[in-house]
Amino acid sequence: VKGGLNISNLYRDDASDKDVRSGFHAGFVGRAMADQPIGLQAELLYSTKGNRTHYTGLYGLIDQDVDFTLNYIEMPVMAAFRFADNAFELHAGGYAAYLLSASVHTSGDLGDGSNDLDRENFNAIDTGVLAGVAFNAGPIQIGARYLLGLRMLANSDEADVLLGDARNSCAQVYIAFGQVAE
């Protein structure tokens, strides 16, 4: 089993907004060739991504936070390279994800609210690349990883107006529990 913190944002070719959204991921991890220095690792995760934006207007008189959330079932697949008697690992690979839901939550001077968004406005499948490091201590693994989406999120003219060419960007820190080969 595996779980941890997601720090995500949406990136664009002309990105200047650095507001990030905190979320989580949780699920299962498995490895082929676990006793070898190079193995194949696959995971099946529930993962939350998106971004958080803060708007100010009218010379600071209006403050509004907008939290955009995307919920995925995600499957990272990667090569895992072990070093230092299997205590340290480097990961590199890719991921595919299926969008379960999208929502927006607002709070501030213009009101508070929450709305589910029509999934049809977004690409149902997200794909990307990933890289990370991990430290093994017996049956516990602690790691950090970065996932970079390659597919645009918008799948309609309405979503394109707001998102443009935005893609997912996500940093993860995690802890995993399981059987580790020695």
Side-chain angles (χ1 to χ4, degrees):
V1 295
K2 175 187 176 199
L5 175 68
N6 284 356
I7 303 294
S8 63
N9 201 353
L10 305 180
Y11 79 90
R12 300 179 193 129
D13 292 338
D14 61 348
S16 60
D17 185 10
K18 301 298 182 197
D19 294 329
V20 297
R21 181 187 181 285
S22 297
F24 71 94
H25 66 278
F28 303 98
V29 58
R31 181 189 303 239
M33 303 174 295
D35 58 342
Q36 301 297 314
I38 300 174
L40 182 65
Q41 183 168 313
E43 301 172 358
L44 184 61
L45 307 171
Y46 176 84
S47 186
T48 63
K49 297 180 181 178
N51 79 333
R52 183 177 186 89
T53 306
H54 181 79
Y55 296 100
T56 58
L58 294 175
Y59 305 102
L61 296 175
I62 295 177
D63 287 322
Q64 190 74 22
D65 288 317
V66 178
D67 192 7
F68 176 61
T69 303
L70 299 166
N71 299 306
Y72 288 98
I73 292 292
E74 189 170 74
M75 185 171 189
V77 177
M78 68 214 78
F81 305 93
R82 289 186 160 180
F83 303 96
D85 292 328
N86 297 331
F88 178 73
E89 295 184 14
L90 294 177
H91 298 163
Y95 75 89
Y98 179 75
L99 180 64
L100 297 173
S101 65
S103 62
V104 64
H105 307 278
T106 60
S107 63
D109 296 332
L110 299 177
D112 298 345
S114 179
N115 290 313
D116 289 333
L117 301 175
D118 185 356
R119 255 187 71 239
E120 299 300 318
N121 288 319
F122 306 96
N123 281 313
I125 303 294
D126 183 33
T127 58
V129 295
L130 64 89
V133 297
F135 176 75
N136 296 317
I140 298 173
Q141 183 180 80
I142 298 171
R145 180 179 299 159
Y146 181 72
L147 297 90
L148 181 65
L150 299 177
R151 188 149 193 222
M152 291 190 313
L153 297 172
N155 190 35
S156 70
D157 292 338
E158 295 86 8
D160 190 55
V161 168
L162 295 174
L163 297 173
D165 60 354
R167 295 166 175 85
N168 280 311
S169 171
C170 183
Q172 297 178 332
V173 291
Y174 67 87
I175 187 165
F177 302 93
Q179 192 73 14
V180 178
E182 297 296 328

